[in-house]
């Protein structure tokens, strides 16, 4: 069988009693049938202390193997006070079962190919993995002398998965691709059978928290392989409490500080992601669980980010030894407990919380928080797509008009189409409502994502302001005619579609745009979109291409509204360097993009 290993694989040597941890404690020792046969022969033929101990601790299993009965302190019965194995001391390494002989190595056979690697559940292996320089590289060659194993592998499926894995490795190794983007590619890939990712970035922190806040949840029946895992869970609770009691943006500030103080984190995250892809993706050829296996690298990354942040918050630093130890603890909890792994597998397979779209959104949000603090903003909209009757539209207008000053009513009166007039007024009233809430509410209310009000709710909120003697805030015209807050306290932007309007207010300059998700366009895109965007569209067809086109168009318009250039600025966008922070969300059938200056 031809052997493939990561290039760092030959560096591993077990350091036995010098190890700061031991692989012989905390979990059951599963003995394979062949080794159990050797042990039974020793029990029958020998009168040695080791043979007597084997007879006392071997518990037969249905598969023909056995497990060792652990001591009261959960240590292997052959692990002595020096953390050395009495079996090896008495008989040599050849007597070991496969579990003990292989750890921390893993092996997966694919016909005439044998792939081998190291798991970070071993401290020494983890040190080698995290310290290894990129690129992650596989080395093939050599022969272990065994004959190829019989299998029913579908060759076409095998080579598809191997090509996909190669493409994922390329993105992980590419410093120009953020690790979050590489993991999002792993979630979806680029095969014909996969849905095309729309790269939707969820701006809503509540959506983010529905997944992020539960990554390190304990669960009923969780097996604690190493008691230090309880410290991880305790730090997670401390982190949650800290974030809850802090101002908005604290998660981003914490991540940014952690990465600033520990610049090696990015390279190490790529090595662990490559390990997960290497170990788990290709075995999908044996079962119908490819989606579950694609999720593992993203899930592991997000979990370890929380573990790192909890440690960093607690200790004020994140040294190399701590990072290795945290990776080792997670690997043991996730990979080396049948019960835990079964739970996580079900979680990643069945839970909406950990669906591919949700994980993609959380990765996007994490990337924004890590690379730049999320700007504080409030955004809301009014949707009139359900209002088909002209009389109903006029009643809405009658509710809105008395709430505006004469100057704003005169401006709106020049808009011919009734729905457009109502939406224009609604946008101004949304600005007033959001402005008050942005300036008056606590930070935790900000950046809550785009929410929609009914016309009646908006009218009621503004009417309550008028009853308190509050007036419509004055708007002035800025560069290129962009509307500005006259007091200069904040920034805002308003956008309409045919049936809806959205408004965003922020402490930073912003631009917002919205388009119906099912809209079709025949615009000359080559004059607007960048070369990279056009190349992306060429790889799509039909409705997927049209939806992606509309989404990219909202992002382009949000950018030019940021500067106040408006539609006319689109023709210059292609020549400009990218660099704006753009958030995109699908809300009520509309693509909404919000742009900020970096």
């Amino acid at each position: 069988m031809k052997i493939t290993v990561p290039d760092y694989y030959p560096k591993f040597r077990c350091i036995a009693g010098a190890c700061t941890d031991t692989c012989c404690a905390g979990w059951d020792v599963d003995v394979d049938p062949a080794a159990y046969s050797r042990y039974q022969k020793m029990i029958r033929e020998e009168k040695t202390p080791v043979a007597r101990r084997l007879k006392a601790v071997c518990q037969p299993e249905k598969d023909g193997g056995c497990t060792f009965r652990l001591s009261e302190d959960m240590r292997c019965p052959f692990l002595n006070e020096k953390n050395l194995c009495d079996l090896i001391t008495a008989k040599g390494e050849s007597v070991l079962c496969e579990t003990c002989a292989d750890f921390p190595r893993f092996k997966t056979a694919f016909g005439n190919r044998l792939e081998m690697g190291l798991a970070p559940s071993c401290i020494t292996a983890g040190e080698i993995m995290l310290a290894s320089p990129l690129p992650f590289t596989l080395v093939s060659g050599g022969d272990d002398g065994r004959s190829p194993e019989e299998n029913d592998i579908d060759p076409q499926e095998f080579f598809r998965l191997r090509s996909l894995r190669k493409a994922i490795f390329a993105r992980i190794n590419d410093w120009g691709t953020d690790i979050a983007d590489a993991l999002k590619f792993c979630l979806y890939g680029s095969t014909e059978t996969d849905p095309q990712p729309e790269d939707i970035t969820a701006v809503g922190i509540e959506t983010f928290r529905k997944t992020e806040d539960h990554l390190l949840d304990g669960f009923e029946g969780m097996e604690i392989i190493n008691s230090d895992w309880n410290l991880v869970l305790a730090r997670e609770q401390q982190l949650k409490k800290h974030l809850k009691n802090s101002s908005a943006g604290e998660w981003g500030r914490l991540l940014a500080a952690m990465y600033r103080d520990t610049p090696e984190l990015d390279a190490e995250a790529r090595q662990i992601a490559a390990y997960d892809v290497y170990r788990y993706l290709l075995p999908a050829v044996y079962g119908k669980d490819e989606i579950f296996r694609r999720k593992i690298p993203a899930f592991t990354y997000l979990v370890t980010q929380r573990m790192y942040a909890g440690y960093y918050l607690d200790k004020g630093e994140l040294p190399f030894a701590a990072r290795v130890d945290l990776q080792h603890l997670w690997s043991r909890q996730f990979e080396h407990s049948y019960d835990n792994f079964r739970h996580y597998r079900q979680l990643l397979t069945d839970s909406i919380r950990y669906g591919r779209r949700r994980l993609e959104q959380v990765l996007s949000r994490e990337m924004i928080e890590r690379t730049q603090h999320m700007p504080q903003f409030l955004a809301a909209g009014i949707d009139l797509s359900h209002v088909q009757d002209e009389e109903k539209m006029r009643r809405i207008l009658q509710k809105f008009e008395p709430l505006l000053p004469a100057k704003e009513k005169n401006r709106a009166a020049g808009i011919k189409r009734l729905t457009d007039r109502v939406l224009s007024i609604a946008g101004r009233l949304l600005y007033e409502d959001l402005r008050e809430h942005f300036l008056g509410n606590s930070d935790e209310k900000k950046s809550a994502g785009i929410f929609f009000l009914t016309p009646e709710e908006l009218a009621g909120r503004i009417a309550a302001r008028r009853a308190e003697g509050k007036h419509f805030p004055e708007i002035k015209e800025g560069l290129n005619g962009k509307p500005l807050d006259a007091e200069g306290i904040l920034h805002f932007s308003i956008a309409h579609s045919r049936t809806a309007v959205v408004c965003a207010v922020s402490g930073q300059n912003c631009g917002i745009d919205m388009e119906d998700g099912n809209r079709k366009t025949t615009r000359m895109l080559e004059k607007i979109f960048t070369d990279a965007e056009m190349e992306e569209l060429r790889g799509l067809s039909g409705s997927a291409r049209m939806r992606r086109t509309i989404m990219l168009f909202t992002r382009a318009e949000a950018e030019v509204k940021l500067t106040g250039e408006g539609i006319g600025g689109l023709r210059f966008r292609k020549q400009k360097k990218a660099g704006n922070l753009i958030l995109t969300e699908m809300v009520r059938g509309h693509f909404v993009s919000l742009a900020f200056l970096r």
Side-chain angles (χ1 to χ4, degrees), residues 36 41 57 211 227 239 309 351 371 408 423 492 506 536 568:
Y36 186 35
K41 182 178 180 181
V57 303
T211 294
S227 60
L239 175 62
S351 174
T371 57
E408 287 296 326
L423 291 174
F492 75 98
S506 175
E536 180 181 356

Side-chain angles (χ1 to χ4, degrees), residues 87 230 275 321 324 361 404 444 500 527 534-535 540 557:
L87 270 174
N230 292 313
Y275 158 77
V324 171
Q361 292 172 340
L404 287 173
E444 66 180 64
K527 296 182 179 180
M534 288 303 304
E535 183 63 28
L540 302 174
E557 285 209 339

Side-chain angles (χ1 to χ4, degrees), residues 6-289:
D7 60 356
Y8 54 70
Y9 182 88
K11 298 178 182 178
F12 176 76
R13 295 290 185 278
C14 178
I15 60 176
C19 186
T20 57
D21 188 50
T22 176
C23 56
C24 305
W27 54 50
D28 295 332
V29 178
D30 295 313
V31 178
D32 57 283
Y36 186 35
S37 295
R38 294 197 298 272
Y39 298 158
Q40 288 177 310
K41 182 178 180 181
M42 290 171 60
I43 293 169
R44 289 193 306 269
E45 299 178 358
E46 299 181 10
K47 305 297 181 183
T48 61
V50 168
R52 287 194 293 270
R53 207 183 315 173
L54 277 170
K55 183 177 181 179
V57 303
C58 285
Q59 298 175 292
E61 296 290 339
K62 293 180 179 179
D63 65 353
C66 72
T67 58
F68 287 164
R69 184 181 292 112
L70 301 184
S71 63
E72 291 184 359
D73 57 358
M74 296 300 291
R75 288 165 65 90
C76 173
F78 296 96
L79 182 66
N80 63 33
E81 66 278 1
K82 296 180 180 180
N83 276 348
L84 296 176
C85 176
D86 287 336
L87 270 174
I88 294 179
T89 301
K91 293 288 184 177
E93 290 189 10
S94 61
V95 78
L96 293 179
C97 62
E98 287 184 358
T99 299
C100 297
D102 288 347
F103 185 84
R105 305 167 187 88
F106 63 87
K107 301 176 181 179
T108 310
F110 304 97
N112 67 341
R113 300 173 183 270
L114 181 67
E115 295 198 342
M116 301 167 54
L118 302 173
S121 49
C122 165
I123 292 287
T124 302
E127 289 174 343
I128 292 171
M129 292 172 66
L130 294 191
S132 294
L134 289 171
F136 175 85
T137 304
L138 295 177
V139 180
S140 296
D143 190 323
D144 72 343
R146 290 189 295 171
S147 299
E149 296 183 1
E150 293 185 7
N151 63 82
D152 57 355
I153 293 176
D154 181 340
Q156 185 175 355
E157 183 68 0
F158 177 78
F159 287 112
R160 179 187 71 82
L161 286 169
R162 206 166 66 149
S163 295
L164 173 61
R165 191 175 70 172
K166 183 178 179 181
I168 296 172
F169 285 154
R171 282 162 174 78
I172 291 174
N173 287 329
D174 180 8
W175 291 105
T177 300
D178 190 273
I179 180 60
D181 282 331
L183 292 170
K184 286 191 287 183
F185 179 81
C186 181
L187 285 173
Y188 284 97
S190 59
T191 65
E192 294 178 1
T193 57
D194 284 323
Q196 291 291 337
E198 292 175 341
D199 195 27
I200 304 298
T201 300
V203 299
I205 199 167
E206 292 306 319
T207 298
F208 179 67
R209 286 174 176 164
K210 284 177 182 176
T211 294
E212 186 74 9
D213 276 359
H214 295 283
L215 289 166
L216 274 169
D217 280 351
F219 53 84
E220 185 177 355
M222 173 181 274
E223 183 179 5
I224 306 298
I225 302 296
N226 185 315
S227 60
D228 285 349
W229 183 252
N230 292 313
L231 295 176
V232 172
L233 298 181
R235 291 194 196 105
E236 170 66 9
Q237 294 307 311
Q238 181 183 358
L239 175 62
K240 286 181 180 178
K241 183 177 180 180
H242 172 76
L243 294 176
K244 182 178 179 181
N245 295 331
S246 300
S247 61
E250 176 60 16
W251 177 236
R253 285 187 285 273
L254 184 63
L255 282 179
M258 187 172 77
Y259 272 78
R260 182 188 63 243
D261 294 346
T262 320
E264 305 91 344
L265 284 180
D266 185 42
E268 292 173 2
R270 293 172 189 271
Q271 282 289 1
I272 294 297
Y275 158 77
D276 282 329
V277 173
Y278 176 59
R279 180 166 189 173
Y280 290 108
L281 182 59
L282 205 51
V285 74
Y286 288 116
K288 298 179 179 179
D289 59 352

Side-chain angles (χ1 to χ4, degrees), residues 325-343:
D325 185 51
L326 291 172
Q327 290 287 352
H328 133 265
L329 289 172
W330 169 243
S331 179
R332 288 199 168 195
Q333 284 297 118
F334 178 73
E335 299 183 288
H336 294 286
S337 163
Y338 293 129
D339 291 337
N340 291 353
F341 190 79
R342 188 183 306 115
H343 173 86

